[in-house]
Amino acid sequence: MPQVNSVYRHREFGAPLTTLADYERAGGYLGLKDALALTPDDALYAFHRSGLRGRGGAGFPMGRKASFLPKDTGRPTYIVCNADESEPGTFKDREIIERNPFQLIEGLTIAAHAVECERAYIYIRGEYEAQAKVLDAALAEARGAGRLGPDALGEGRPFDITLYRGAGAYICGEETALLESLEGKRGQPRLKPPFPAVAGLYGCPTLINNVETLAALPPIMHRGPDWYGSMGPEKSPGTKIFSVSGHVLRPGNYEVVLGETTLRELIFTMAGGLRPGRHVKAVWPGGSSVPVIGEGSLDVPLDYESLNGVGTFLGSGGCIVMDDSECIVRACHRLAQFYRHESCGKCTPCREGTGWLARILGRMVAGEGRGAEDIRMLESLFGRISGRTLCALADGAVMPVQSALELFPEEFAHVAEHGSPAPAPMMGEPVG
Amino acid sequence: MAEHDDGLIVLTINGREVRAPKGTMLVDAAKAAGIEIPIFCYEPRLGAPIGACRMCLVEVEGMRGLQTACSTPVAPDMVVNTESEVAKDAQDGVLELLLANHPLDCPVCDKGGECPLQDRTFRFGPGRTRSLEPKLHFPKPLDLSPLVALDRERCIACFRCVRFSQEVAEDGQLTFQERGDHTEIATFSGDPYEGRFTGNTIDLCPVGALTSNPYRFVSRPWDIKNTPSVCAGCSMGCNLEITEREGEVKRLTGRPEPNMAVEEGWICDRGRWGYPALRSADRLQAPVLADAVGRRNVPLERAVTEASGLLGARGARVGILLGDAVTVETGFLAGELADRVGGGTPAMVARTGIPGHGLGPIRALPGAQMDDIDGADVVLVVGGDPCTQQPVAELRIRKARRAGAHVAVIGPRPTALDASCEALRTTPGHLLDAAAVINERLQGSQRAVVLWDEADLAAEPAAAEAIARVVAATPGARAVEMCADVSGAGLRALGIPAAGDLLGALEAGDIDILLTIGTDPTTGPAGDRWAAAADRAGTIIEMATHRTGLTDRAALVLPMLAPLEDEGVLVSMTGRAQRLRPGAREAAGAAAAWELIVGITHRIGNPVPDRTPAQAFRRLAEQHAAFAGLDYRAIGREGAVIAAVPQDPGSPAREPVGDGLLIVPCAPVFGDAVAHRSDALEAVREPSRAALAPAEAERLGVRTDARVRVTTPEGTAVLPLEIDSRLHEGAVYLMVGDPSSGAARLLPEDRGPVRAVVSAAAREEVGA
Amino acid sequence: MTAHEIEEYLAPMRHEFADPRSLILPALKFAQGESGWLPAEDMAAVAEATGFSQAYVESVATFYDRLYIEPVGRRVINVCVTLSCMLRGSDEIFDHLTDYLGLDGEGTTEDGMFTLAKVQCIGACDRAPCLQIDSGEQIGPLEPADATCLVDDLREQPAPARYER
Ligand SMILES: Cc1cc2nc3c(=O)[nH]c(=O)nc-3n(C[C@H](O)[C@H](O)[C@H](O)COP(=O)(O)O)c2cc1C
Ligand code: SF4
Ligand code: SF4
Ligand code: SF4
Ligand code: FES
Ligand code: FES
């Protein structure tokens, strides 16, 4: 059950690394030094070799994505860091930004060297204003120290980072919606292709990565891609942060080596387990957009392939744990409301379908269900939404609910007839 | 063999082999092969596909999941299934979801019966939605403007109207607000949607969310008839469709199959909502005969007989004045009539409009069609203001700019293009100075299009000549004449001269009978002179749609059909001959001008051989080189470009007449007689006014809220004053609006350069 | 808020964006800082300062939850009600606050002091149930009593110099 604080360097250090001096004392900026000693192509190759996959949700190999960027287009190349972190149950990037902001800055600088970029943007969700201020200060300090600015990449190669604040919209975490938002538009996803690597920000080649992905780069460059690649399974090596929340006694972020920790260990050993007498009923291991799994799957090792093996995804690593005190339909209704609220409205199945799902589930919870008819309608709606939309938000809205219906058919049937039991009073049985 | 010798890509759709050029989207490839894939958001005229509605989902072998046919280009050997169970289920599913919050109030919806959503629901879908959930409600239907109504509950968020506003008209006004299932169409703080092109959003809307206020509850689709025709609002010659019911024009829309070489399916609001003018109070309904017995209505037959009696009288010296929107057949037949009147004394035939001496060289430039502007690398607008005078041209120019063309607007007037293009304001009367700039902008261009204004360059022949030289020297450069008159290009091609000589002859007492066809010279340039001259003629015969300044003095008034009621050919400013097709006949006692002329020749006893415009056209094509080889069939629905006619060579610079400030005339179509007669356009029509730069106004001691006296050698008008900091000093910008204001009358007969003395209006004039 | 003030605010960052459209969101957030919401005049000022149409600016503004085109209270209490918070009692926190503030669900108190809003996951599920005052630090885990104490504290505080929603 190895816990390795590679991205969470501040945990290793024992204190937040919010000054450049502290960060450097903790080994910061050694990765950049090593990266700059390589040619951009070699740095890119190191990303490849490390096996690092995107940590934002989709898990796309980071080096491969970076290698898609066309070179010498005569137009600028941009890097955009996705710090929108709005996936329910996910708060891992927040801690990086709050406590270890320089590692993100260093990671971005390394990536800039590899893809030969002069300006990066960090798109941070509007609700992270407190965190944005930490980042602002860190950026200013880095700039003051010459770590950003006209000579950030050495040999007169400039690089700087702009922090861009969102204003409250989950969909802006979807990469093309993010780009639209960053371009001053309504944050609605774009049709792909073209992919951002080819035509991203302002139509220019753009590398988009999650905070955690980019913050993983400094140790990779310093300790070497082979070190990183040696951790965990061959196909998806390295460390991953899981944000554990819900009915656990010690909610929080846990950085683990992929494949070497089971979900059970994460929940019971790291996150402190459940209240006495409670059982795990349902877990959304990768944020709210992934299929839910039950108690029977707790021994799954936490890595991309193993989680796929039990019918779910690693996703963002936002692990939401629910015990047997809660009604599954009520939980699903809550999620459906989230997706309904966050649907951007651009495409029909999602705009209309998420609301429809929420209304059916709402009726069921309220005891106004229509029994089997509602269940059939839900099943039919899942099929009419998923796989037919412009972006993955809608699939993310369907999967957690559809899987719950498959996992708890009797409970759904019961609630469809009789409604949800009243929620257990919070005071009666405090959690954690 | 995936790529054919002809460069077409071969693929399979529903088991059929289909060929399509590279880059074609699956929907279009399928459509060409007769396979319809349902769409809502796809509309290539609005730009690249956005894939929003998901209606067009199809199966493509080897591709994961379903693909949107509107955004998937054809590829060699692609195997597409648009009707498989999976594809069908996807299409049904999207439809059902679209209906989940749709009120389905088709019976009371103006779109009912011609609504793609309703249509689709009947043809493809389950016919209803299974949703039993309460539908979302939005604020109740409202007027987006006096012309456009919005019912948000019917909106399916297809983005079409928004994209039109943001990306085609670029007026920025119509947007989505909120998100998700709360997404709604809105303007800023509920302001009215104002613009020159707003009605196109109605045509674009695939549901009844955006509807025409003037058309509200007027007809139901099953009792209407639609006829393709052409707008006679300006020389653009936009194609449109006339909706008729019970003999009345009820609606005009952009043509469902656009003429891509002309208007691309867009029409301006003046064109769209001008039709109520057909039944304005001053529409002439019955012929009037004034003789010794008195003034009285007579049957049309009688009126025609009377006309032939007057015109055929031996020795009668006849002058025929043609208005600016008559068809070429009417122009041609007027010439035929001229040879048959006066018992052998041929009549003078003339058109209102600009003589155009000195425009020879610039008219000799290779001509462009509107769609050539799409691919241009440089687009120059020289003089005039297409945005107000040939509005739909503005949309093409914007499109070219979006596609990367350098667009410069060069001339004395501020225009709506200034904000997004290079605006080079010239000193009024000095377009000659622009030649150098034009030369500069054309350097290195390969496919430049220069749009030049007929009126402005006719006023400055030296500039016309210099610009012609520069453009002629630029390889690949072509020109478009922004004609001042709707039918100017056509009548000129028939060799019909401008009316200067006719006016002179009238004033000299050399004309006994003045026959006017579709014009009111008394409200136009030199209106006072025309009024006096007409009086000298002694006998006035008028063919007109509406009352004119001559109606009460005319011996004979023959009510005539308007272009929307008539058939025949109009030639647009790019020289494109296009067919008018009658939408309705609104005036009971009226006849087409060509019919009246034919009737008169019969009564005179020397009939023309033609019984229809088509026959007249065939003969005019035989006689006039510009139309050689054309017939109605060749013109079809896309029109046919006529040949250029040789022009007289350039002539020296002209000096303005009169004293004071140089007049910069502006003649917006929204200010024309039709706009002032159509009650639908009340809120957007342009009034006449005089506009001055602030410094000029100060010098003259006039204030914004004042009215000013404007005096030229042609007369005086008292007009509202507008002060506009974008204007040049040393000039008065004369906005020609309401015909009764007298603004147009201030201009000389040939619309040549003129100066005006401007002063504050006296107190007693202010109330006027 | 005048267009000029907004332009001054934007001036130093203009060069960071290849398209001035990108300035709209920062401009809106800045403008909102003055009165805590975005009256039509402020959106018009943003339009003028950035060079885009007023309707466009409003359309962008309405897309985002944390830009308000209707007046809100001096402080906005954003109670997260998404799954992780729900599992730990967010509904009780919310109900407790509605009672305490004398509201009937979401809304603004009569004195204009507070707007109570249900919001989606604010990225602090480790602190569930949690809330956020405007866009301040995420606060939690909360007991209903904590939430009302918080309100009392806020009532004592003066209006912020600039609103960060
Ligand atoms: C609805 C939706 C929301 C998303 N939200 C986030 C997010 O908040 N943060 C993030 O990094 N990626 C998010 N993503 C994934 C991004 O689209 C993208 O895959 C990611 O930023 C790429 O970075 P990575 O390769 O480093 O993971 C979201 C995707 C979808 C479909
Ligand atoms: S799936 Fe939902 S969020 Fe994504 S584009 Fe469609 S409506 Fe917007
Ligand atoms: S109003 Fe009509 S055109 Fe506009 S988005 Fe709605 S459905 Fe589409
Ligand atoms: S631009 Fe001219 S021809 Fe076209 S619709 Fe308008 S008035 Fe008619
Ligand atoms: S028509 Fe293809 S997605 Fe709308
Ligand atoms: S669910 Fe409340 S902060 Fe995440």
Side-chain angles (χ1 to χ4, degrees):
Chain A
M1 190 192 73
Q3 235 189 299
V4 174
N5 290 318
S6 169
V7 172
Y8 280 170
R9 193 192 302 252
H10 57 282
R11 292 199 174 185
E12 204 67 42
F13 189 71
L17 297 170
T18 45
T19 63
L20 188 53
D22 279 349
Y23 181 63
E24 285 178 350
R25 202 165 327 127
Y29 276 107
L30 295 177
L32 176 64
K33 193 165 154 241
D34 295 333
L36 291 179
L38 302 176
T39 65
D41 281 348
D42 287 347
L44 203 66
Y45 182 65
F47 300 168
H48 254 300
R49 218 178 139 77
S50 73
L52 173 64
R53 290 173 63 166
R55 302 296 190 224
F60 196 83
M62 192 273 171
R64 215 161 109 218
K65 183 150 74 179
S67 69
F68 290 158
L69 270 72
K71 295 215 163 184
D72 305 317
T73 56
R75 314 192 59 188
T77 292
Y78 294 113
I79 302 176
V80 175
C81 168
N82 190 339
D84 194 59
E85 189 164 71
S86 307
E87 175 78 5
T90 313
F91 43 87
K92 63 193 178 69
D93 298 340
R94 191 196 79 215
E95 184 170 334
I96 298 173
I97 296 165
E98 272 172 354
R99 315 244 165 130
N100 194 13
F102 290 100
Q103 187 153 330
L104 172 59
I105 296 170
E106 185 187 355
L108 274 164
T109 314
I110 292 169
H113 169 63
V115 302
E116 301 181 71
C117 151
E118 295 186 2
R119 181 161 300 274
Y121 299 84
I122 300 174
Y123 184 99
I124 191 167
R125 63 180 303 192
E127 294 85 344
Y128 278 3
E129 180 56 38
Q131 289 74 21
K133 289 204 167 72
V134 177
L135 211 40
D136 265 336
L139 287 168
E141 204 188 341
R143 217 168 277 131
R147 292 272 184 207
L148 291 175
D151 193 34
L153 302 178
E155 296 165 2
R157 290 162 66 216
F159 173 66
D160 211 332
I161 300 173
T162 296
L163 182 61
Y164 199 86
R165 289 157 158 89
Y170 166 64
I171 189 56
C172 292
E174 194 284 333
E175 55 188 13
T176 58
L178 185 156
L179 292 175
E180 291 282 294
S181 179
L182 183 47
E183 287 182 6
K185 302 174 186 159
R186 292 160 59 82
Q188 294 184 309
R190 299 175 183 170
L191 200 61
K192 290 189 266 193
F195 289 91
V198 177
L201 186 63
Y202 309 125
C204 299
T206 304
L207 176 67
I208 305 184
N209 276 118
N210 171 254
V211 172
E212 186 186 350
T213 317
L214 290 160
L217 294 177
I220 289 176
M221 296 315 291
H222 184 54
R223 302 180 66 173
D226 293 337
W227 159 78
Y228 194 81
S230 70
M231 289 188 283
E234 205 178 313
K235 271 181 126 179
S236 47
T239 68
K240 171 78 188 96
I241 304 165
F242 284 88
S243 304
V244 188
S245 66
H247 288 141
V248 290
L249 295 179
R250 265 201 313 274
N253 287 313
Y254 302 94
E255 183 173 4
V256 300
V257 172
L258 284 164
E260 295 184 6
T261 306
T262 64
L263 183 54
R264 189 184 298 281
E265 287 165 327
L266 179 71
I267 295 172
F268 286 92
T269 314
M270 298 180 179
L274 311 181
R275 292 168 294 186
R278 288 288 168 204
H279 302 276
V280 169
K281 178 170 177 179
V283 182
W284 290 265
S288 66
S289 303
V290 305
V292 70
I293 51 179
E295 199 171 14
S297 303
L298 287 180
D299 291 313
V300 62
L302 294 170
D303 63 73
Y304 293 89
E305 288 74 22
S306 304
L307 284 161
N308 294 356
V310 297
T312 187
F313 300 109
L314 186 140
S316 65
C319 177
I320 307 170
V321 181
M322 186 176 107
D323 69 22
D324 56 352
S325 67
E326 186 56 86
C327 163
I328 187 70
V329 185
R330 214 167 79 90
C332 286
H333 176 229
R334 195 52 62 98
L335 287 180
Q337 284 176 307
F338 169 82
Y339 292 101
R340 182 210 173 169
H341 181 81
E342 301 296 348
S343 165
C344 84
K346 185 167 180 178
C347 70
T348 310
C350 171
R351 180 183 65 243
E352 306 295 342
T354 51
W356 196 345
L357 278 184
R359 274 172 280 171
I360 296 175
L361 292 166
R363 269 196 298 98
M364 286 169 59
V365 167
E368 293 157 17
R370 299 197 183 96
E373 191 190 334
D374 273 348
I375 304 292
R376 273 197 306 276
M377 186 60 87
L378 283 177
E379 281 166 344
S380 148
L381 269 182
F382 297 148
R384 299 210 137 173
I385 299 170
S386 54
R388 296 177 178 181
T389 54
L390 185 58
C391 86
L393 180 137
D395 288 350
V398 168
M399 281 189 291
V401 184
Q402 184 172 22
S403 54
L405 175 59
E406 282 160 14
L407 203 56
F408 304 99
E410 286 92 20
E411 193 174 346
F412 268 82
H414 182 84
V415 173
E417 295 285 356
H418 308 289
S420 283
M426 170 194 179
M427 302 295 289
E429 200 185 4
V431 200
Chain B
M1 188 178 53
E3 197 157 326
H4 222 248
D5 310 336
D6 47 11
L8 295 181
I9 285 175
V10 184
L11 65 159
T12 308
I13 306 183
N14 298 353
R16 295 228 304 267
E17 190 183 281
V18 171
R19 285 152 208 270
K22 191 165 179 273
T24 309
M25 296 302 168
L26 284 181
V27 241
D28 293 326
K31 192 173 177 188
I35 299 166
E36 196 193 343
I37 301 172
I39 53 165
F40 282 117
C41 68
Y42 182 58
E43 173 49 82
R45 291 180 296 153
L46 299 173
I50 57 167
C53 74
R54 318 304 287 178
M55 192 63 224
C56 62
L57 291 169
V58 297
E59 255 191 305
V60 179
E61 277 181 21
M63 290 175 95
R64 211 160 47 107
L66 295 156
Q67 309 301 317
T68 44
C70 69
S71 64
T72 308
V74 293
D77 297 330
M78 208 178 219
V79 178
V80 182
N81 207 326
T82 75
E83 285 169 348
S84 65
E85 209 148 297
V86 183
K88 274 266 168 249
D89 181 63
Q91 293 162 14
D92 286 352
V94 170
L95 194 61
E96 173 175 49
L97 286 158
L98 278 173
L99 297 176
N101 279 308
H102 189 87
L104 280 172
D105 54 349
C106 313
V108 296
C109 176
D110 266 333
K111 195 88 174 181
E114 47 187 16
C115 171
L117 180 63
Q118 187 189 31
D119 206 37
R120 194 63 59 205
T121 308
F122 283 135
R123 275 198 295 153
F124 289 78
R128 63 185 178 92
T129 172
R130 293 169 297 161
S131 171
L132 299 168
E133 314 306 319
K135 304 206 185 232
L136 284 178
H137 290 290
F138 283 96
K140 62 175 181 354
L142 50 79
D143 288 348
L144 212 45
S145 74
L147 296 165
V148 184
L150 167 66
D151 184 335
R152 292 185 168 103
E153 290 186 349
R154 295 187 188 137
C155 172
I156 58 165
C158 73
F159 283 77
R160 286 171 166 232
C161 59
V162 169
R163 292 169 74 204
F164 177 80
S165 169
Q166 301 294 324
E167 287 154 42
V168 176
E170 299 181 345
D171 58 44
Q173 293 181 51
L174 210 56
T175 56
F176 277 129
Q177 288 190 2
E178 306 299 330
R179 67 171 193 234
D181 55 10
H182 294 295
T183 305
E184 56 178 84
I185 296 295
T187 53
F188 180 66
S189 303
D191 289 351
Y193 179 30
E194 284 170 354
R196 294 179 296 284
F197 307 106
T198 64
N200 293 301
T201 60
I202 299 171
D203 292 349
L204 286 166
C205 185
V207 296
L210 294 172
T211 51
S212 165
N213 257 330
Y215 186 62
R216 211 137 203 228
F217 308 130
V218 167
S219 339
R220 305 301 298 165
W222 45 88
D223 55 9
I224 59 174
K225 188 175 123 248
N226 291 330
T227 311
S229 192
V230 172
C231 176
C234 75
S235 56
M236 256 304 285
C238 299
N239 292 245
L240 45 67
E241 191 158 271
I242 304 173
T243 297
E244 181 229 304
R245 177 174 160 263
E246 293 174 353
E248 282 191 7
V249 174
K250 293 297 187 193
R251 173 178 73 174
L252 301 178
T253 58
R255 221 170 61 180
E257 295 131 53
N259 191 334
M260 300 309 273
V262 185
E263 83 296 332
E264 267 189 298
W266 313 130
I267 56 176
C268 74
D269 289 356
R270 152 64 185 82
R272 181 180 303 266
W273 282 298
Y275 65 88
L278 293 175
R279 40 188 179 272
S280 64
D282 59 348
R283 182 80 200 261
L284 294 170
Q285 293 291 346
V288 178
L289 173 64
D291 59 13
V293 181
R295 275 184 76 80
R296 62 202 184 277
N297 288 342
V298 292
L300 196 56
E301 287 291 302
R302 168 87 191 275
V304 171
T305 307
E306 292 289 337
S308 62
L310 292 169
L311 291 167
R314 175 156 298 279
R317 295 170 300 173
V318 176
I320 304 177
L321 180 64
L322 294 164
D324 80 325
V326 301
T327 61
V328 290
E329 290 86 347
T330 298
F332 170 73
L333 289 169
E336 297 282 290
L337 176 64
D339 293 338
R340 289 165 168 82
V341 297
T345 316
M348 283 180 89
V349 184
R351 58 182 169 87
T352 57
I354 296 168
H357 306 301
L359 294 178
I362 199 164
R363 281 188 173 144
L365 291 171
Q369 292 297 305
M370 295 312 288
D371 53 349
D372 293 325
I373 296 176
D374 290 353
D377 51 3
V378 174
V379 176
L380 303 179
V381 177
V382 182
D385 176 8
C387 308
T388 62
Q389 299 182 157
Q390 296 87 9
V392 168
E394 174 190 340
L395 300 180
R396 279 286 182 173
I397 297 168
R398 290 185 184 274
K399 185 180 177 195
R401 193 211 72 239
R402 288 192 300 274
H406 180 84
V407 178
V409 184
I410 305 160
R413 299 170 192 79
T415 78
L417 287 166
D418 293 0
S420 53
C421 305
E422 186 188 18
L424 296 163
R425 205 61 49 72
T426 58
T427 311
H430 287 75
L431 271 175
L432 186 56
D433 300 347
V437 187
I438 293 169
N439 191 23
E440 235 167 70
R441 295 298 178 274
L442 289 177
Q443 287 310 310
S445 76
Q446 281 159 356
R447 299 174 311 278
V449 175
V450 178
L451 297 105
W452 57 275
D453 185 69
E454 180 191 11
D456 277 7
L457 288 181
E460 296 186 50
E465 213 188 320
I467 293 164
R469 219 176 305 121
V470 168
V471 179
T474 309
R478 277 176 292 177
V480 171
E481 173 177 358
M482 298 185 289
C483 295
D485 299 305
V486 178
S487 200
L491 297 183
R492 264 191 281 112
L494 293 173
I496 298 172
D501 289 348
L502 175 58
L503 178 57
L506 279 163
E507 286 174 328
D510 294 341
I511 301 286
D512 305 315
I513 302 176
L514 173 64
L515 168 62
T516 60
I517 304 179
T519 180
D520 182 359
T522 67
T523 54
D528 291 347
R529 268 180 77 195
W530 275 107
D535 279 344
R536 285 214 63 179
T539 301
I540 300 168
I541 303 175
E542 177 179 67
M543 294 182 193
T545 57
H546 293 78
R547 285 183 60 83
T548 71
L550 298 177
T551 304
D552 288 339
R553 316 181 209 174
L556 203 49
V557 178
L558 298 157
M560 134 188 182
L561 296 182
L564 288 170
E565 303 162 319
D566 202 354
E567 61 179 305
V569 169
L570 286 178
V571 179
S572 80
M573 64 187 196
T574 59
R576 186 172 283 264
Q578 304 189 103
R579 281 182 59 189
L580 290 175
R581 294 178 176 81
R585 276 188 181 220
E586 301 225 352
W594 61 266
E595 270 179 308
L596 293 169
I597 296 172
V598 170
I600 291 169
T601 63
H602 277 264
R603 299 286 197 296
I604 287 176
N606 185 2
V608 292
D610 323 296
R611 297 198 154 264
T612 62
Q615 290 167 353
F617 190 83
R618 193 173 311 135
R619 280 205 305 131
L620 82 83
E622 282 161 17
Q623 294 176 26
H624 295 275
F627 297 92
L630 294 186
D631 62 20
Y632 267 32
R633 273 261 281 298
I635 291 174
R637 288 200 176 191
E638 303 304 312
V641 180
I642 66 170
V645 265
Q647 301 282 330
D648 55 3
S651 61
R654 299 171 57 178
E655 280 309 310
V657 296
D659 304 314
L661 302 174
L662 188 65
I663 286 187
V664 179
C666 312
V669 290
F670 283 80
D672 73 2
V674 169
H676 282 274
R677 286 195 179 105
S678 166
D679 45 16
L681 292 172
E682 190 175 342
V684 291
R685 63 173 73 122
E686 295 266 3
S688 290
R689 56 210 189 273
L692 295 170
E696 199 59 61
E698 199 172 316
R699 204 167 303 138
L700 297 170
V702 289
R703 290 194 329 270
T704 332
D705 53 354
R707 293 171 81 89
V708 287
R709 275 176 78 88
V710 182
T711 304
T712 71
E714 300 294 339
T716 294
V718 176
L719 300 171
L721 171 69
E722 186 175 279
I723 296 177
D724 184 341
S725 60
R726 299 170 305 164
L727 306 182
H728 265 280
E729 294 171 39
V732 53
Y733 290 69
L734 183 70
M735 309 289 165
V736 178
D738 183 0
S740 65
S741 66
R745 283 207 295 267
L746 298 173
L747 301 173
E749 185 278 325
D750 64 358
R751 301 186 218 172
V754 59
R755 294 181 182 280
V757 175
V758 180
S759 58
R763 184 175 286 277
E764 62 277 11
E765 290 169 329
V766 170
Chain C
M1 179 81 32
T2 65
H4 181 70
E5 285 170 89
I6 297 169
E7 274 167 40
E8 284 195 340
Y9 168 75
L10 296 175
M13 64 175 90
R14 262 179 200 275
H15 75 278
E16 296 176 41
F17 304 100
D19 184 339
R21 206 182 283 269
S22 292
L23 297 167
I24 294 176
L25 198 49
L28 282 166
K29 297 193 83 156
F30 175 69
Q32 180 163 275
E34 187 174 77
S35 28
W37 65 291
L38 288 163
E41 307 85 75
D42 285 2
M43 285 189 281
V46 169
E48 193 186 331
T50 55
F52 294 89
S53 78
Q54 297 177 343
Y56 183 82
V57 167
E58 186 174 19
S59 143
V60 170
T62 57
F63 187 83
Y64 299 97
D65 289 338
R66 297 297 182 93
L67 294 171
Y68 303 90
I69 65 163
E70 302 283 345
V72 283
R74 182 193 276 188
R75 308 307 297 254
V76 181
I77 305 172
N78 298 299
V79 182
C80 174
V81 295
T82 311
L83 186 55
S84 298
C85 284
M86 177 194 105
L87 294 176
R88 298 175 77 94
S90 63
D91 294 7
E92 266 179 72
I93 303 286
F94 184 83
D95 292 345
H96 193 71
L97 279 170
T98 48
D99 289 349
Y100 193 68
L101 294 170
L103 288 168
D104 186 22
E106 292 182 283
T108 302
T109 56
E110 260 171 37
D111 60 4
M113 276 296 285
F114 297 108
T115 293
L116 180 64
K118 286 182 179 174
V119 298
Q120 303 300 340
C121 182
I122 52 177
C125 328
D126 51 341
R127 301 176 194 164
C130 63
L131 59 71
Q132 185 177 36
I133 308 300
D134 299 325
S135 62
E137 184 89 40
Q138 300 79 356
I139 306 168
L142 296 166
E143 303 269 332
D146 303 336
T148 47
C149 278
L150 208 76
V151 168
D152 293 338
D153 288 350
L154 284 173
R155 220 185 273 282
E156 302 298 306
Q157 291 173 18
R162 289 192 51 77
Y163 295 92
E164 285 180 344
R165 299 289 202 207

